[in-house]
């Protein structure tokens, strides 16, 4: 077994390392996505428009679901597979930027998943706006050699073109919805319609050709809609669609309550993680209640909830009554890396720092961003921290022992502390001022996405879940873009989840 980032700096991908061979899989021309590009931000405006003038996704989703039902999709939206009681599947989240970080995940994903029965993409299949024209290089090409079906739940970016391309690819080539009537002028609905981003009329003209890259019968997966359940072996896997703003409409909420009944052990896959960055986000449902209320109900027999959207890995083992629910963030499948060094010392839902796991480690995240901004601001000598310096200052700020032992004595200097503060590093809750909280929030939302272009280590990840009638073994594997981790992906976290 190769070293992980918890063992050595080399295991994290630091140092002089040979770049992986993933670039051979990439197209000759790659369009880089920059989230500081006004053109990209304007195309991806629908989330902001929905928050200002009302969110139409519940209504649009209901129309998609009705269309699929009319086409013969099962009314309960359950996919009934013939998997044995012991089987394995993959989970990968927030994949589709189509550049080096996404393709760097592919070799390890294929090697680790070669004997698995299927895979699930947890949120944001295609960036920046879920366009049908992007599925060739951001879905079909990278996963053409994964020989099993791939199911998916949409993320907010897949909704930026009203989910049309997603439904064509994952839901049996669903035809476009008929246009809705024009709203009355100068109403909120009219303003929303006026500002709304829509797909180009000719988008997806190559889709049938690109689909052939995953055209074998063994790779075929047909979903009943954007939310679904899969009965596989002894478990039921339930995927929900949280739309543009991270909520569930009343129709989907009623369905979720219904498919959550019964003694079968269940896993939730969601585009909006329920525990993330040291906070609890239970996910409200239209009409009352939350998704987490359903997950916590002992009569529903959930054992884990896995969410995408945030581009790293986090795990919170939350004690609920006499059982432990594993709340997992797994959005590190290809898009830019969200920082983990901004996560404060953990104290949420009864979970403490001792129980919490994340990847990349906070020190590696801080070292990565210090190099990124040192280069971008042309202040390398001031900003750049070694991984040992970053690890040491994180341990000091959080009041914890370093996760990875440094190679020698490391002194935390005033410069190191200042850089950590400027880059929004987390701290202890009892020492966090009112000023630091908004600074960290602004950093996470504004500066973090500008890391769209960088070089290894990428700090990407994916999950493998091995199911038996007694337990699920969940492992988080790393992908750095370096050849060493490509040949033998290191395990960054592992937990066994009892099903009894």
């Amino acid at each position: 077994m190769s070293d992980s980032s918890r063992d050595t700096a080399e295991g994290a991908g630091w140092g002089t390392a040979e770049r992986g061979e993933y670039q051979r899989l990439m197209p000759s021309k790659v369009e880089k996505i920059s989230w500081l590009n006004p053109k990209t931000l304007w195309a991806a405006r629908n989330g902001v428009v929905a928050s200002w003038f009302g969110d139409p996704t519940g209504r649009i989703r209901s129309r998609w679901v009705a269309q699929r039902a009319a086409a013969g999709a099962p009314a309960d939206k359950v996919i009934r597979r013939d998997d044995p009681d012991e089987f394995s599947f993959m989970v990968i989240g927030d994949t589709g930027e189509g550049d080096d970080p996404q393709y760097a995940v592919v070799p390890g994903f294929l090697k680790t998943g070669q004997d698995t029965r299927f895979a699930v993409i947890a949120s944001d299949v295609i960036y920046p706006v879920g366009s049908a024209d992007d599925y060739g290089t951001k879905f079909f090409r990278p996963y053409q050699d994964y020989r099993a079906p791939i199911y998916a739940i949409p993320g907010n970016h897949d909704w930026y073109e009203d989910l049309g391309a997603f439904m064509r690819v994952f839901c049996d080539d669903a035809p476009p919805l008929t246009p809705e009537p024009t709203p009355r002028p100068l109403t909120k609905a009219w303003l929303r319609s006026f500002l709304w981003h829509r797909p180009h009329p000719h988008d997806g003209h190559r889709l049938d050709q690109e689909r052939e890259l995953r055209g074998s019968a063994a790779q075929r997966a047909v979903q009943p809609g954007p939310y679904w359940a899969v009965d596989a072996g002894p478990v039921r896997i339930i995927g929900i669609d949280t739309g543009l703003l991270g909520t569930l409409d009343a129709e989907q909420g009623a369905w979720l309550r219904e498919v959550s009944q019964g003694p079968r052990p269940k896993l939730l896959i969601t585009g909006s993680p329920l525990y993330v960055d040291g906070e609890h986000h239970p996910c409200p449902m239209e009409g009352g209640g939350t998704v987490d209320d359903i997950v916590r109900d002992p009569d529903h027999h959930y054992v884990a909830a896995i969410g995408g959207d945030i581009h790293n890995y986090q795990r919170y083992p939350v004690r609920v009554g006499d059982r432990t629910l594993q709340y997992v963030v797994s959005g590190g499948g290809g898009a830019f890396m969200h920082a983990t060094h901004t996560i404060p010392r953990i104290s949420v839902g009864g979970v403490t720092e001792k129980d919490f796991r994340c990847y990349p480690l906070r020190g590696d995240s801080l070292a990565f961003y210090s190099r990124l901004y040192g280069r971008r601001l042309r202040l390398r000598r001031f900003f750049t921290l070694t991984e040992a310096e970053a690890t040491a200052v994180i341990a000091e700020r959080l009041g914890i022992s370093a996760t990875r032992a440094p190679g020698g004595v490391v002194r935390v200097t005033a410069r190191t502390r200042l850089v950590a503060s400027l880059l929004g590093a987390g701290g202890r809750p009892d020492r966090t001022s009112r000023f630091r909280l908004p600074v960290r929030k602004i950093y996470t939302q504004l500066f973090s996405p500008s890391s769209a272009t960088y070089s290894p280590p990428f700090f990407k990840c994916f999950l493998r879940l091995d199911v038996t009638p007694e337990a699920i073994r969940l492992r988080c594997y790393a992908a750095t873009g370096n050849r060493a981790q490509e040949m033998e992906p290191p395990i960054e976290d592992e937990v066994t989840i009892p099903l009894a």
Side-chain angles (χ1 to χ4, degrees), residues 155-330:
N156 57 312
H157 289 269
D158 300 305
W159 268 101
Y160 287 162
E161 292 194 349
D162 292 341
L163 215 61
F166 181 96
M167 296 296 292
R168 286 184 64 183
V169 170
F170 293 103
C171 299
D172 205 22
D173 209 16
L177 295 175
T178 57
E180 293 186 298
T182 303
R184 287 188 299 109
L186 302 182
T187 60
K188 273 191 170 185
W190 181 83
L191 289 169
R192 181 182 65 226
S193 179
F194 177 74
L195 293 171
W196 203 250
H197 170 80
R198 293 178 176 83
H200 191 276
H202 302 296
D203 278 359
H205 67 281
R206 299 187 304 272
L207 199 55
D208 288 340
Q209 177 183 349
E210 292 163 339
R211 201 191 299 267
E212 291 303 312
L213 292 172
R214 283 188 49 81
S216 73
Q219 293 173 310
R220 182 171 171 77
V222 177
Q223 299 178 190
Y227 56 91
W228 42 261
V230 172
D231 283 349
V235 300
R236 171 168 283 186
I237 303 159
I238 298 173
I240 60 173
D241 170 17
T242 54
L244 281 171
L245 302 181
T247 61
L248 262 63
D249 61 279
E251 180 182 349
Q252 186 180 182
W255 169 85
L256 178 61
R257 289 188 176 95
E258 182 65 27
V259 296
S260 297
Q261 302 295 324
R264 194 170 192 157
K266 299 173 185 72
L267 290 87
L268 182 75
I269 308 288
T270 170
S272 299
L274 304 180
Y275 279 85
V276 61
D277 293 344
E279 298 175 349
H280 182 211
H281 297 271
C283 188
M285 300 191 300
E286 183 184 17
T290 69
V291 170
D292 202 28
D293 291 339
I294 294 174
V295 171
R296 287 170 176 260
D297 189 329
D299 291 338
H300 295 158
H301 299 276
Y302 279 89
V303 297
I306 302 173
D309 190 52
I310 303 301
H311 307 165
N312 53 47
Y313 172 83
Q314 303 173 42
R315 182 169 63 84
Y316 301 80
V318 177
R319 192 73 179 169
V320 179
D322 61 352
R323 61 204 173 108
T324 298
L325 290 174
Q326 298 291 341
Y327 291 88
V328 176
V329 178
S330 183

Side-chain angles (χ1 to χ4, degrees), residues 36-48:
L36 294 182
N37 184 332
K39 183 179 178 181
T40 302
L41 295 175
W42 176 244
R45 64 188 179 272
N46 283 1
V48 175

Side-chain angles (χ1 to χ4, degrees), residues 408-489:
V409 177
V410 179
R411 189 166 65 92
V412 178
T413 65
R415 180 188 70 89
T416 307
R417 295 187 181 101
L418 178 57
V419 170
S421 295
L422 290 173
L423 294 180
R428 293 171 54 175
D430 59 340
R431 295 183 181 178
T432 301
S433 70
R434 293 179 182 177
F435 172 73
R436 284 180 182 173
L437 281 173
V439 166
R440 187 158 60 245
K441 187 173 183 181
I442 290 170
Y443 171 83
T444 303
Q445 294 182 349
L446 178 61
F447 293 114
S448 190
S450 66
S451 64
T453 55
Y454 48 81
S455 54
F458 295 130
F459 298 113
K460 302 288 95 185
C461 60
F462 55 89
L463 306 182
R464 175 181 168 122
L465 293 92
D466 302 307
V467 181
T468 70
E470 294 77 33
I472 297 174
R473 182 188 185 193
L474 182 152
R475 285 174 286 178
C476 172
Y477 287 87
T480 67
N482 290 330
R483 182 164 170 75
Q485 287 83 32
E486 190 175 88
M487 294 177 64
E488 189 175 354

